[in-house]
Amino acid sequence: MITQHEAFRLLERMLGFRPEPTRADDVTRALAERLAARGCKDASAYGRVLDDLRLRAEETRIIADRLTVNETYFLRESAGLRVLVERLIPELLARGSSPVRVLSVGCSTGEEPYGLGLLLHEAGIGRGQVEIRGIDVSPNAIASARRAQYSEWALRNVPAALRARYFERERKGYRLLPELRERVRFELGNVVDEDGAFWDSAEFDVILCRNLLIYLGTEAIEFTISRFARALAPGGTLFLGHAETSLAGPRFSVEEADGAFYFRLRKHPAGPSRRVRPSFDADQAAQALLEPIGRAGSRVQELAARLSVAGERPPSERVEELGDVLELIQQERFDDALQRVEASQLDERSERALLRAVLLTNLGRTTEASQLAQARLARLPSCPFAHYLLGVCHETACEHDEARRLYARSAELDPGFAMPRLRAGMLARRAGRPEEARRALEGALEQFPYQAARTQLLYGGGFAREELASLCRSELRSLRAAAGERA
């Protein structure tokens, strides 16, 4: 027999996955079946089977086919792919880096690498100029990718003209044309297996790993990011999903173009891949919670008021609990921080709800985060942080006009809050509103040096002040360059 805890640990060992509690029965049942198939009486015996690398590879593939989710579609988060095709790959080719080597990690049934190949073909970049490799841990997913047969739903983001040009209509859907199928090579691969030779190559110019890390545990994320750094050529580029931008760590510097964030491998690593502070002082956390947020003078006074209410725990215990949550956020352990907040006795009407919204946003659970932000605004219409988080949720859903409105309101309520100005400026530039973008970005650049440490920690997306200020300057340079071109 096997317990749920044992099943979760085995799954994390094989795939790096930290499964959702809602999948506990599926995970436990699948591992129990593998124990029986291998004749193992308990989890320890099955663990010894996994010590054999050949058997572990077999078991991993079986479990991956059983438990991994392969929901994806063509041209998903297409802004990143277009920046890659229109800017980064041409720059590499101009420097003589031919062929450019691209790796799609967790490629599932092939939509991402094939979508990239489609855009390259449209741009006139030949097959011999760019090599695309897709890897996935699931044999069924790889087999499906090689067949290149897709449903109408998988092509929902492909314009009709491109669909007609590159897909053959079949009885049950569509099949990608041979000339595009030939642009991508697929193979089995697992980011957390123990055979590291593949990842020590430093041969890839670009790695795409979008919407995989959110399923991994903390150690598996650190391990995977470290492998990406070794697999990339000097100055290579990493693309992550929208919900994963805080996970790249200090081995990479952040860059942005046309609304897409990507990460450049630093020449000299800046330390461990996880930005973990060596120690944390609860008194400092208390001070941060009670000090002015930004230069607008808004304060977290609800906390102090509630701490004096009869019957509640002593202030020192309450502050320590909040300090623990902030420490977990500092370590980017968002799942653990969320569990701590949800298990706490912090008042749901105030900082608990806001902390939950922050953590859910970082975990990519924007529907839940949006509901919490809206509930907070129903009680406290002047909360700048709830407006900001709601704006992030709308931006993630590509509802950019509403996002800009919410960012503007957030900055109005707290003029010292730099983040909504930065995001509003980036959206305005993409919308062709250069003056609006310039004002917002200059305002953000002015405020970043003064933004409180707690505000930066909670709302900075995992980036340091100087990184975000650098991003502001880059956006402003692009605006000035565009104005010069028009002149």
Side-chain angles (χ1 to χ4, degrees):
M1 295 297 293
I2 186 170
T3 67
Q4 174 185 315
H5 177 69
E6 290 170 334
F8 277 30
R9 290 191 64 183
L10 287 168
L11 184 66
E12 191 160 0
R13 178 181 175 186
M14 286 190 283
L15 295 172
F17 285 10
R18 178 178 291 180
E20 294 288 335
T22 54
R23 301 203 66 196
D25 290 344
D26 289 342
V27 173
T28 305
R29 189 180 305 114
L31 268 299
E33 290 173 3
R34 295 315 305 158
L35 262 68
R38 288 291 181 183
C40 299
K41 64 179 181 179
D42 55 27
S44 296
Y46 187 70
R48 289 191 290 275
V49 170
L50 300 181
D51 291 338
D52 183 312
L53 292 182
R54 181 182 62 83
L55 297 179
R56 174 176 171 171
E58 291 178 7
E59 291 300 303
T60 298
R61 290 166 186 170
I62 293 169
I63 289 296
D65 278 341
R66 173 75 180 273
L67 294 175
T68 53
V69 177
N70 293 315
E71 165 58 25
T72 186
Y73 53 90
F74 274 85
L75 305 186
R76 183 181 186 182
E77 298 184 12
S78 60
L81 295 179
R82 294 191 183 280
V83 166
L84 183 55
V85 170
E86 296 170 8
R87 177 177 296 198
L88 300 183
I89 287 177
E91 288 176 358
L92 287 166
L93 292 173
R95 294 202 298 265
S97 301
S98 184
V100 174
R101 293 183 172 88
V102 180
L103 177 66
S104 172
V105 179
C107 67
S108 186
T109 46
E111 288 89 335
E112 178 179 80
Y114 281 144
L116 174 60
L118 185 156
L119 295 177
L120 289 168
H121 193 86
E122 277 288 289
I125 299 175
R127 177 184 171 189
Q129 294 176 285
V130 180
E131 294 180 358
I132 308 172
R133 188 186 306 185
I135 64 169
D136 197 276
V137 71
S138 166
N140 285 345
I142 291 295
S144 179
R146 288 170 176 160
R147 288 193 298 271
Q149 294 172 308
Y150 298 99
S151 67
E152 184 96 26
W153 185 242
L155 272 63
R156 62 188 182 271
N157 209 35
V158 178
L162 296 184
R163 186 182 304 190
R165 197 174 304 153
Y166 295 113
F167 294 87
E168 297 175 316
R169 193 75 168 89
E170 296 186 336
R171 186 169 60 88
K172 292 186 177 180
Y174 297 84
R175 191 174 193 205
L176 192 67
L177 292 181
E179 56 262 39
L180 289 190
R181 296 203 301 270
E182 293 166 1
R183 294 192 72 129
V184 185
R185 179 158 57 98
F186 293 98
E187 60 191 76
L188 288 170
N190 183 358
V191 294
V192 297
D193 66 20
E194 294 181 8
D195 181 7
F198 177 88
W199 301 103
D200 291 330
S201 61
E203 68 169 316
F204 294 103
D205 299 289
V206 180
I207 292 178
L208 299 164
C209 181
R210 304 189 299 171
N211 307 301
L212 171 65
L213 298 184
I214 54 175
Y215 296 106
L216 304 186
T218 302
E219 291 184 5
I221 291 171
E222 179 178 352
F223 185 70
T224 300
I225 291 293
S226 175
R227 285 193 150 181
F228 290 166
R230 298 199 305 275
L232 282 168
T237 306
L238 171 65
F239 283 81
L240 300 176
H242 287 329
E244 300 168 323
T245 54
S246 65
L247 301 178
R251 287 186 178 89
F252 295 86
S253 60
V254 60
E255 297 186 20
E256 187 272 343
D258 299 328
F261 286 97
Y262 52 95
F263 302 89
R264 187 83 66 178
L265 182 66
R266 297 182 190 272
K267 292 182 180 179
H268 303 290
S273 65
R274 304 288 288 170
R275 286 174 277 187
V276 180
R277 188 166 54 187
S279 62
F280 187 84
D281 189 322
D283 291 334
Q284 291 178 358
Q287 182 62 35
L289 283 165
L290 296 172
E291 71 181 0
I293 298 175
R295 287 164 59 190
S298 18
R299 297 175 180 271
V300 189
Q301 295 184 2
E302 296 170 344
L303 172 64
R306 279 194 315 283
L307 291 178
S308 63
V309 176
E312 293 201 346
R313 286 178 294 157
S316 59
E317 294 183 32
R318 298 297 298 279
V319 168
E320 182 178 357
E321 185 165 55
L322 287 167
D324 288 346
V325 171
L326 294 178
E327 182 178 12
L328 291 170
I329 294 172
Q330 174 73 14
Q331 296 172 7
E332 299 177 6
R333 293 166 56 188
F334 301 122
D335 280 313
D336 294 336
L338 182 60
Q339 291 177 15
R340 184 65 185 261
V341 170
E342 291 180 339
S344 74
Q345 296 182 30
L346 300 175
D347 192 332
E348 182 65 31
R349 294 171 302 173
S350 53
E351 78 276 352
R352 182 184 178 203
L354 199 57
L355 281 170
R356 286 182 65 206
V358 168
L359 294 165
L360 289 167
T361 303
N362 276 285
L363 291 167
R365 294 161 60 180
T366 52
T367 300
E368 298 166 79
S370 176
Q371 291 169 351
L372 286 170
Q374 289 172 336
R376 182 167 176 83
L377 287 174
R379 292 187 295 271
L380 293 170
S382 61
C383 177
F385 307 109
H387 279 90
Y388 173 73
L389 290 172
L390 195 55
V392 172
C393 295
H394 280 282
E395 183 178 347
T396 302
C398 295
E399 297 166 350
H400 295 160
D401 288 343
E402 180 63 9
R404 290 203 338 266
R405 185 191 70 80
L406 288 160
Y407 293 148
R409 180 59 176 152
S410 175
E412 179 185 350
L413 290 166
D414 186 349
F417 190 11
M419 286 305 300
R421 296 174 182 274
L422 170 58
R423 284 187 173 270
M426 292 169 63
L427 285 178
R429 187 171 80 82
R430 286 155 57 188
R433 299 169 180 263
E435 282 306 307
E436 179 183 333
R438 182 188 58 77
R439 287 193 300 271
L441 291 165
E442 287 178 349
L445 191 58
E446 179 184 349
Q447 298 302 331
F448 269 123
Y450 306 101
Q451 188 161 269
R454 173 181 177 274
T455 304
Q456 186 67 33
L457 175 63
L458 293 179
Y459 304 102
F463 302 119
R465 285 189 187 91
E466 54 271 22
E467 290 178 306
L468 294 170
S470 176
L471 179 57
C472 280
R473 287 189 285 269
S474 174
E475 289 281 306
L476 287 166
R477 282 195 299 271
S478 296
L479 282 170
R480 287 192 288 271
E485 290 171 4
R486 286 194 298 271

